Amino acid sequence: MGHFKTRVLIISCLLFTCYEAEKLKTRGLRQKDVDYIEKYSSCLQGPAGTPGREGNPGVNGIPGTPGIPGRDGAKGEKGECVTERFEEPWKPNYKQCAWNALNYGIDLGKITECTFTKKHADSALRVLFSGSLRLKCKTACCQRWYFTFNGAECASPLSIESIIYLDQGSPEFNSTINIHRTTSVEGLCEGLRKGLVDVAIWVGTCGDYPHGDASTGWNSVSRVIIEELPLSS
């Protein structure tokens, strides 16, 4: 019983001492007196409390002032002058010449022609002849139908032609058969000058082969179509 009273007395003293120390602090005592009281008061420290929650994010700060402008860069190399070329859109340029029943029976020479106005120097002409052709002979023979431009055959890239060859020795053919077939002669010619171009269709021989009995445009329509086209880049 005596030990219990002693413990109660000690705890009461400690609580009173701690209380008095806090009162002395609030009364504005000198720092030396406060240090003395804290040293000999023997107040017990309680356990650490539970950590608090994280606070809300703060608002954005005020933007900083602009930085100092950088130095000028090194001078670049001199550029090249480029001249932009504007071309007019390509306009169609074509012509058709047609004949009803030419019935032209020559074996060597010019059959017919069609004059065309070429508007550009850097262009090509597409030509087409469509009509019936016939060849017959008693021995092997060959005929050639071809285009000329101002009296000369196309040189760029090559001639524009079509041939018919008959071999009298072939059992499938009889040299006396008279067959007229609609045929086309067609091609592109480059390198022709600007301006008027006389486009003609001719009939001739095939190298060293003899010619036969040729016929062009029998009992049907024949036509020459000419069209100017831009050269591909």
Side-chain angles (χ1 to χ4, degrees):
M1 184 68 179
H3 292 290
F4 176 75
K5 289 181 178 181
T6 303
R7 289 180 181 175
V8 172
L9 182 61
I10 293 171
I11 293 171
S12 299
C13 178
L14 291 175
L15 292 174
F16 175 77
T17 305
C18 292
Y19 174 73
E20 288 297 325
E22 291 299 324
K23 284 179 65 178
L24 290 173
K25 287 181 184 179
T26 57
R27 289 177 182 175
L29 293 177
R30 292 180 302 170
Q31 183 65 37
K32 184 173 69 174
D33 297 332
V34 174
D35 293 341
Y36 177 81
I37 293 172
E38 288 181 350
K39 181 177 179 181
Y40 294 102
S41 62
S42 301
C43 291
L44 297 178
Q45 183 177 358
T50 305
R53 296 181 305 170
E54 293 185 1
N56 295 327
V59 296
N60 294 331
I62 301 173
T65 56
I68 301 173
R71 297 180 301 171
D72 292 339
K75 186 176 181 180
E77 298 180 359
K78 185 177 180 180
E80 297 181 359
C81 294
V82 177
T83 302
E84 189 172 0
R85 181 182 177 187
F86 295 93
E87 296 182 354
E88 294 183 0
W90 185 268
K91 295 181 180 179
N93 182 25
Y94 59 90
K95 182 179 181 180
Q96 176 178 233
C97 297
W99 303 268
N100 187 25
L102 275 174
N103 292 331
Y104 216 53
I106 66 169
D107 303 325
L108 301 171
K110 182 167 67 174
I111 298 170
T112 189
E113 67 180 1
C114 182
T115 302
F116 182 79
T117 302
K118 190 171 181 286
K119 296 182 178 180
H120 305 273
D122 55 345
S123 62
L125 290 187
R126 173 183 174 268
V127 292
L128 166 70
F129 169 81
S130 177
S132 68
L133 304 181
R134 192 263 350 242
L135 178 64
K136 67 177 184 175
C137 49
K138 295 180 180 180
T139 60
C141 62
C142 182
Q143 296 286 158
R144 174 175 173 260
W145 282 260
Y146 58 94
F147 275 102
T148 63
F149 303 86
N150 293 326
E153 290 194 57
C154 181
S156 179
L158 292 169
S159 297
I160 301 173
E161 62 182 3
S162 180
I163 68 169
I164 297 177
Y165 171 76
L166 290 179
D167 185 357
Q168 193 263 343
S170 174
E172 290 84 5
F173 292 96
N174 186 330
S175 61
T176 60
I177 294 178
N178 185 22
I179 300 176
H180 298 259
R181 292 188 177 92
T182 298
T183 307
S184 295
V185 185
E186 182 178 8
L188 285 171
C189 188
E190 302 174 5
L192 301 172
R193 71 173 186 268
K194 177 181 176 180
L196 290 177
V197 182
D198 291 326
V199 180
I201 187 76
W202 294 61
V203 61
T205 59
C206 308
D208 296 333
Y209 289 91
H211 67 84
D213 181 9
S215 175
T216 305
W218 178 79
N219 200 30
S220 59
V221 173
S222 302
R223 58 176 42 86
V224 170
I225 299 174
I226 309 166
E227 181 181 11
E228 186 174 8
L229 298 174
L231 293 176
S232 58
S233 54

